[in-house]
Amino acid sequence: MNSKEFLVEKLKELSSKFEDIKIRYEYRKSTCSHIIEVIPLTVFKNNEDYMSAEASLEDEFEHLFPQEDIVFISEGSLTEIKAPDLVLGYNSIIFDNTSFDAEFIVEGFSEEVNVAGCENYALAA
């Protein structure tokens, strides 16, 4: 098992144990660094069970893969996830239908929008 496979497995376990957290993971080949973003910050900083699990994961990783770096970050970190290899705990919206009615698109706006006869959808992007 390589380092990425190890972390993916362990991060899935961490996500299932702490259901309120969101995790994004990115491997940076240029620096042999594994960046793991955990939010919300309150769990990252204040939950002792989470902090213990993170420390155990970090210790195990460093023992198995001493030539690679592992970095845990959270909200407000100067280090950012640019291209995640793994995303856990985020709810995604999947649309089966490629067309939407106008009420769905403009839901939440306070002004009425007249879309009758509008065939240019460039503004929707």
Side-chain angles (χ1 to χ4, degrees), residues 42-98:
T42 54
V43 172
F44 185 78
K45 281 188 160 185
N46 301 327
N47 185 317
E48 290 186 28
D49 291 335
Y50 168 79
M51 290 189 293
S52 177
E54 179 188 303
S56 294
L57 171 57
E58 193 170 358
D59 289 344
E60 187 176 1
F61 179 85
E62 290 173 349
H63 175 74
L64 293 171
F65 309 100
Q67 302 301 319
E68 300 182 37
D69 292 322
I70 183 170
V71 179
F72 283 88
I73 62 171
S74 192
E75 299 167 80
S77 174
L78 296 177
T79 302
E80 294 180 351
I81 301 289
K82 297 174 185 171
D85 295 301
L86 177 70
V87 176
L88 299 167
Y90 287 83
N91 293 333
S92 61
I93 300 173
I94 299 169
F95 296 105
D96 293 335
N97 189 344
T98 58

Side-chain angles (χ1 to χ4, degrees), residues 7-27 34-41 43-44 50 53-54 57 70-75 81 83-91:
L7 281 176
V8 165
E9 181 180 310
K10 293 296 183 178
L11 292 174
K12 286 179 179 178
E13 290 174 14
L14 194 64
S15 178
S16 67
K17 184 175 182 181
F18 300 95
E19 295 176 357
D20 294 339
I21 65 173
K22 296 176 182 168
I23 298 173
R24 292 191 310 154
Y25 161 68
E26 178 180 0
Y27 174 67
H34 302 267
I35 313 299
I36 302 162
E37 177 188 68
V38 178
I39 59 175
L41 185 60
V43 172
F44 185 78
Y50 168 79
E54 179 188 303
L57 171 57
I70 183 170
V71 179
F72 283 88
I73 62 171
S74 192
E75 299 167 80
I81 301 289
D85 295 301
L86 177 70
V87 176
L88 299 167
Y90 287 83
N91 293 333

